[in-house]
């Protein structure tokens, strides 16, 4: 399934030498706006190893999207140190180390759903038959079978978001950056996709950075939960989530699960009171 | 439904009777008060009929399409009827305003002349000028988009040139390119170039920031981003320019012929037939220009629908 060549392989080699997938120290980002500076990220330290599933949780506007965008080289930090797979974010982006699921679907309206999913594969130069095959596989994975020939605007918001997830998965990146990918979905579909994502992660050993507003979702999916607080955007707690790797949805009723969820909630509360 | 159709049929019959009556000797040019009152009554009736027709909303898509087409047709037909009846009934001199029937007769009688004029003006000047002007404007926009100083320099110049009157450019082009159609095509090139340039430049920045970020995350280069994102997003703007230019080109070519031309062409014909007070021929040329211009525009609009079906204004 992997794409050979420059994409990804370099990163693998680097991480197996003991380099962290994400290595961030003292990272700051200040937006200069007309109403003065906005401190979106302030002094963020974070390391993430290969194969981890890290959730980011925190109140709206605390800089979760900004942090993901810095890692993806879509935003330049104003200070601090950042390495992705041992190289600068720009180099990591240029060698196509990551797949990004944006907070909104960003599908191109002139392309069918299938063609949208095949867009990165087209750009990476995969043969046509393989593009078809992968689009089919991943559209099935996100339950969009039968909608291949529809256009994005003929689908509901949640379906569009699922198509954008299929698009990010289609080229099998080692690093997945997902910004509230399941925010627009109903509870049942969300549960289903949580399980699918967990299974995919278990099978492929990808590193996943996952932004969410849902505490149960964060605890269910993650090996590590990063709690953030706003103004300035900081990390206030990193919680290890040492539940067994093989998880089913029933785990959400267990005491171990609830204990972790409790700790996340306390962290979020502390962040909120800090703001007042 | 049936009432509306009956009403329409009545209006139609009344109009036919009035048309037959008005051409009779003794009525033509000296129609009495009763005739005008009857015409006014017919007008009222027609207004009611058409407004009822417009309010009909049949279920079947085929019937709906018929109604959608019938409303403007009925409206247009009635305008022509009024024109005919008033001009003939009141005996308006043909120099001021010929009747539609007279224009149609002249049109049919001078088909060979009209055909030659059409080839000269539309096929040679308009089409070649339009193709060259639009293509050049499009390509220049892509270059200007890449080279910031060109964009800053060309766009104000574009506004300046758009403000230049055809009557100013046409004689200069005749000096440069001679009397025949190339000088008219050159006028059309000048007129169509800048609308296309300005619209395409605007269209190239129409793609949203998130859509661009997506391309960036794939490490897509300039050309990939242009072909797969920015040009498709610019298409509605490009088609807007194509539509504007389809009308501009025809006007430009016709007016340009007022300033020296071989003895053929729609603009040439209009200018000499006016001088000879042969207004029916002038009107026949105007009708030809209207038909050619509308068909041209419709063709571009049709292509637009096919190419930008995804745009919010066309989605079904
Ligand atoms: N391009 C920008 N220019 C100026 N300010 C910005 C920009 N992008 C984000 N910000 C500001 O940075 C802060 C963090 O924004 P960010 O989008 O990272 O929040 P978030 O945690 O993702 O919130 P949400 O959960 O609502 O998505 C906000 O206060 C926002 O207003
Ligand atoms: Mg966000």
């Amino acid at each position: 399934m992997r794409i050979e060549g420059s994409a990804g392989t370099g990163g693998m080699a680097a991480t197996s030498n003991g380099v962290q997938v994400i290595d961030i120290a003292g990272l700051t980002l200040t937006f200069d706006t007309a109403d003065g500076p906005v401190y979106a990220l302030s002094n963020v330290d974070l390391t993430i190893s290969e194969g981890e599933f890290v959730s980011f949780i925190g109140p709206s506007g605390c800089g979760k999207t900004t942090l993901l965008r810095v890692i993806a080289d879509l935003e330049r930090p104003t200070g601090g140190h950042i390495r992705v797979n041992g190289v600068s974010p720009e180099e990591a982006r240029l060698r196509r180390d990551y797949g990004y699921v944006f907070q909104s679907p960003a599908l191109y309206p002139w392309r069918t759903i299938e063609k949208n999913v095949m867009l990165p594969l087209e750009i990476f130069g995969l043969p046509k038959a393989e593009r078809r095959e992968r689009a089919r596989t991943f559209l099935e994975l996100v339950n969009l079978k039968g909608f291949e020939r529809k256009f994005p605007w003929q689908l509901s918001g949640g379906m569009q978001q699922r198509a954008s997830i299929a698009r990010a998965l289609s080229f099998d990146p080692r690093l997945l950056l997902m910004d509230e990918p399941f925010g627009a979905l109903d509870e049942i579909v969300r549960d289903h996709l949580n399980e699918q994502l967990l299974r995919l992660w278990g099978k492929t050993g990808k590193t996943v950075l996952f932004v969410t507003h849902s505490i149960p979702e964060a605890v269910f999916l993650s090996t590590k939960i990063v709690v953030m607080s706003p103004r300035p955007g900081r990390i206030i707690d990193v919680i290890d989530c040492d539940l067994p790797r093989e998880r089913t949805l029933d785990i959400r009723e267990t005491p171990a699960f609830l204990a972790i969820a409790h700790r996340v909630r306390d962290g979020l509360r502390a962040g909120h009171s800090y703001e007042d | 439904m049936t009432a509306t159709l009956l009403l329409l049929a009545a209006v139609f019959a009344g109009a036919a009777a009035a048309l037959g009556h008005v051409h009779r000797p003794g009525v033509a040019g000296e129609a009495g008060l009763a005739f005008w009152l009857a015409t006014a009554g017919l007008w009222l009736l027609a207004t009611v009929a058409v407004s009822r027709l417009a309010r009909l909303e049949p279920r079947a898509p085929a019937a709906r399409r018929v109604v959608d087409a019938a409303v403007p047709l009925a409206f247009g037909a009635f305008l022509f009827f009024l024109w005919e009846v008033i001009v003939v009934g009141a005996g308006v001199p043909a120099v001021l305003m010929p009747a539609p029937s007279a224009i149609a007769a002249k049109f049919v009688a001078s088909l060979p002349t009209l055909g030659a004029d059409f080839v000269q003006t539309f096929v040679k000047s308009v089409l070649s000028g339009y193709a060259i002007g639009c293509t050049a404007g499009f390509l220049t926009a892509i270059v200007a988009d890449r080279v910031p100083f060109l964009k800053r320099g060309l766009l104000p110049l574009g506004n300046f040139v758009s403000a230049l009157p055809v009557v100013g450019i046409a004689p200069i082009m005749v000096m440069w390119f001679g009397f025949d159609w190339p000088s008219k095509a050159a006028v059309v090139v000048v007129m169509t170039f800048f609308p296309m340039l300005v619209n395409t430049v605007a269209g190239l920045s129409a793609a949203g920031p998130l859509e661009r970020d997506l391309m960036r995350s794939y490490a897509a280069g300039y050309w990939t981003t242009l072909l797969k994102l920015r040009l498709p997003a610019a298409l509605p703007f490009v088609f807007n320019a194509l539509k504007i230019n389809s009308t501009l080109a025809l006007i430009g070519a016709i007016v340009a012929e007022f300033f020296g031309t071989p003895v053929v062409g729609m603009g040439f014909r209009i200018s000499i037939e006016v001088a000879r007070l042969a207004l029916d021929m002038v009107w026949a040329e105007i009708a030809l220009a209207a038909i050619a211009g509308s068909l041209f525009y419709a063709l571009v609009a049709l292509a637009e629908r096919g190419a930008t079906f995804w745009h919010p204004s066309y989605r079904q």
Side-chain angles (χ1 to χ4, degrees):
Chain A
M1 245 351 198
R2 306 268 341 276
I3 296 167
E4 296 306 323
S6 63
T9 38
M12 268 271 281
T15 44
S16 53
N17 290 341
V19 180
Q20 303 285 356
V21 174
I22 304 291
D23 182 9
I24 290 174
L27 191 77
T28 7
L29 195 152
T30 311
F31 288 110
D32 278 318
T33 67
D35 324 321
V38 174
Y39 302 100
L41 293 174
S42 156
N43 209 10
V44 170
D45 299 317
L46 184 68
T47 54
I48 297 172
S49 327
E50 165 111 61
E52 278 196 275
F53 196 121
V54 182
S55 287
F56 294 81
I57 196 163
S60 184
C62 71
K64 306 180 293 293
T65 298
T66 308
L67 182 57
L68 241 54
R69 287 176 61 86
V70 170
I71 293 169
D73 187 40
L74 299 175
E75 213 79 70
R76 283 272 143 90
T78 39
H81 163 90
I82 171 165
R83 296 258 128 186
V84 178
N85 282 333
V87 295
S88 71
E90 184 177 8
E91 281 173 89
R93 174 175 67 81
L94 289 180
R95 66 187 196 196
R96 294 159 177 169
D97 272 4
Y98 67 81
Y100 199 124
V101 179
F102 291 90
Q103 203 165 345
S104 52
L107 299 167
Y108 293 174
W110 50 85
R111 285 177 166 255
T112 60
I113 291 298
E114 184 184 38
K115 283 263 173 68
N116 265 291
V117 173
M118 295 196 298
L119 175 70
L121 309 176
E122 252 172 69
I123 294 174
F124 299 170
L126 267 73
K128 191 160 189 176
E130 173 148 26
R131 299 203 296 253
R132 274 256 142 70
E133 178 55 29
R134 286 189 182 213
R136 206 185 52 73
T137 310
F138 287 99
L139 281 174
E140 206 161 316
L141 185 83
V142 297
N143 281 5
L144 279 179
K145 200 176 168 185
F147 293 94
E148 292 87 353
R149 298 291 150 82
K150 294 274 184 207
F151 285 91
W153 31 274
Q154 295 169 322
L155 268 54
S156 75
M159 292 161 97
Q160 293 179 27
Q161 189 61 11
R162 280 185 274 153
S164 89
I165 294 167
R167 182 180 58 190
L169 293 174
S170 69
F171 60 99
D172 199 26
R174 297 296 302 156
L175 173 59
L176 255 183
L177 309 174
M178 306 180 85
D179 196 351
E180 295 186 40
F182 305 145
L185 305 181
D186 68 76
E187 203 70 17
I188 304 300
V189 174
R190 193 173 181 143
D191 282 352
H192 171 76
L193 286 181
N194 276 342
E195 280 190 309
Q196 292 287 330
L197 181 60
L198 206 57
R199 196 173 305 157
L200 187 86
W201 169 72
K203 210 164 61 187
T204 58
K206 291 178 194 303
T207 312
V208 185
L209 274 62
F210 187 94
V211 174
T212 180
H213 281 293
S214 156
I215 297 176
E217 185 173 74
V219 180
F220 177 67
L221 292 171
S222 317
T223 57
K224 204 186 237 183
I225 299 168
V226 175
V227 183
M228 298 179 67
S229 91
R231 303 198 183 270
R234 298 164 305 124
I235 293 179
I236 49 175
D237 200 1
V238 178
I239 299 165
D240 279 318
C241 192
D242 43 12
L243 299 167
R245 279 218 163 194
E246 295 284 317
R247 302 171 191 181
T248 53
L249 288 167
D250 332 321
I251 205 174
R252 291 183 296 191
E253 320 293 336
T254 63
F257 184 98
L258 294 173
I260 299 171
H262 215 159
R263 203 174 143 203
V264 177
R265 187 175 300 275
D266 283 345
L268 279 176
R269 284 234 178 81
H272 268 288
S273 58
Y274 189 88
E275 190 185 9
D276 299 330
Chain B
M1 180 77 190
T2 24
T4 309
L5 287 182
L6 275 178
L7 201 59
L8 271 174
V11 171
F12 190 79
L19 279 178
H21 186 67
V22 77
H23 281 283
R24 276 195 205 136
V27 182
E30 49 209 78
L33 185 64
F35 180 81
W36 293 124
L37 281 179
T39 306
L42 207 55
W43 184 352
L44 271 178
L45 221 56
T47 314
V48 175
V50 171
S51 70
R52 286 188 65 150
L53 187 66
R55 257 182 285 132
L56 276 188
E57 278 180 2
R59 289 278 161 71
R64 182 178 291 257
R65 229 168 297 142
V66 168
V67 168
D68 281 350
V71 172
L73 270 181
F75 190 79
F78 198 77
L79 280 186
F80 274 106
F81 161 76
L82 280 182
W83 178 359
E84 177 83 22
V85 164
I86 292 173
V87 167
V88 176
V92 178
V95 188
L96 289 186
M97 186 74 130
S101 58
I103 297 171
K106 186 71 187 176
F107 195 100
V108 172
S110 19
L111 271 180
T113 316
L114 289 172
D117 290 349
F118 177 79
V119 168
Q120 171 76 12
T121 305
F122 195 85
V123 178
K124 291 184 181 166
S125 312
V126 170
L127 286 188
S128 63
Y130 180 80
I132 296 171
C134 290
T135 312
F138 182 77
L139 294 179
T140 310
I142 288 175
V143 176
D145 175 72
R146 266 232 112 165
V147 187
F149 84 85
L150 264 186
K151 188 156 145 185
R152 283 229 296 267
L154 267 179
L155 290 190
L157 187 70
N159 290 333
F160 176 73
V161 174
S162 309
L164 284 183
V166 205
V167 289
I169 328 170
I172 298 173
M173 292 301 154
V174 170
M175 301 292 271
W176 289 357
F177 299 101
F179 276 100
D180 209 347
W181 64 268
S183 62
K184 314 321 176 248
V187 171
V188 173
V189 169
V190 172
M191 289 183 72
T192 54
F193 176 81
F194 284 98
M196 180 54 92
L197 172 69
V198 172
N199 273 281
T200 308
V201 165
L204 284 173
S205 49
L210 210 57
E211 282 79 16
R212 287 166 196 261
D213 281 346
L214 184 73
M215 277 295 173
R216 201 172 139 84
S217 81
Y218 297 148
Y222 167 79
W223 290 105
T224 309
T225 309
L226 186 70
L227 287 178
K228 297 211 185 283
L229 170 62
R230 298 180 64 208
L231 281 183
L235 269 189
F237 289 79
V238 173
F239 270 104
N240 194 28
L242 285 175
K243 285 195 294 189
I244 295 172
N245 281 347
S246 72
T247 16
L248 274 183
L250 191 58
I251 296 172
I254 290 177
V255 175
E257 285 180 4
F258 293 178
F259 301 88
T261 173
V263 289
V264 64
M266 293 160 74
F268 162 78
R269 194 79 53 207
I270 289 174
S271 63
I272 61 153
E273 298 293 344
V274 163
R276 287 165 41 183
L277 294 184
L279 265 288
D280 50 353
M281 188 60 192
V282 173
W283 279 91
E285 290 283 355
I286 291 174
L288 176 63
I291 293 168
S294 319
L295 284 182
F296 191 18
Y297 187 92
L299 225 60
V300 177
L302 206 67
E304 178 185 35
R305 283 208 149 209
T308 63
F309 64 92
W310 49 269
H311 195 256
S313 49
Y314 291 122
R315 285 176 195 171
Q316 286 134 8

